[in-house]
Amino acid sequence: MSAEAAALRPGTTVAKTAAGIWLRGRRRQQERHLSLTELVRVPGPRLHRSVERQFGQITDAVSDRLEPYLGHEFRGRT
C-alpha cells in the first residue's frame, strides 16, 4: 500500500461518517413534519389506507371518551 493510499483511508472514513450523520439529521428533521400514517411504512396503498382508517378509528374512540370530561372541565371557554 502506498503512502498516498494510507493517507486517504482515514480521510475517506471521516467523510463517510460525517455525511452519514448529516443525512440522518436531515431525515429526522423531515420526519418531524410527517403525520403518523406517513411515518408507518407499509407495503402498498391498500394496506396504507387500512392503517389510516385504523388511526382514524383510534382518534374517534379517544375523542368520544375525552369529550365529556373536556366539555365539563372547560365549559364556558371557546
Side-chain angles (χ1 to χ4, degrees), residues 1-2 8 10 13 17 20 23 26 30 37 39 50 55 59 62-63 71-73 75 77:
M1 178 182 304
S2 68
L8 286 177
T13 302
T17 302
L23 289 173
R26 286 184 54 100
Q30 291 171 346
T37 55
L39 287 172
S50 174
F55 282 131
T59 302
V62 169
S63 176
H72 175 73
E73 188 68 28
R75 68 179 172 267
R77 296 183 188 169

Side-chain angles (χ1 to χ4, degrees), residues 55-66:
F55 282 131
Q57 291 170 348
I58 292 168
T59 302
D60 292 342
V62 169
S63 176
D64 291 345
R65 289 183 181 210
L66 288 179

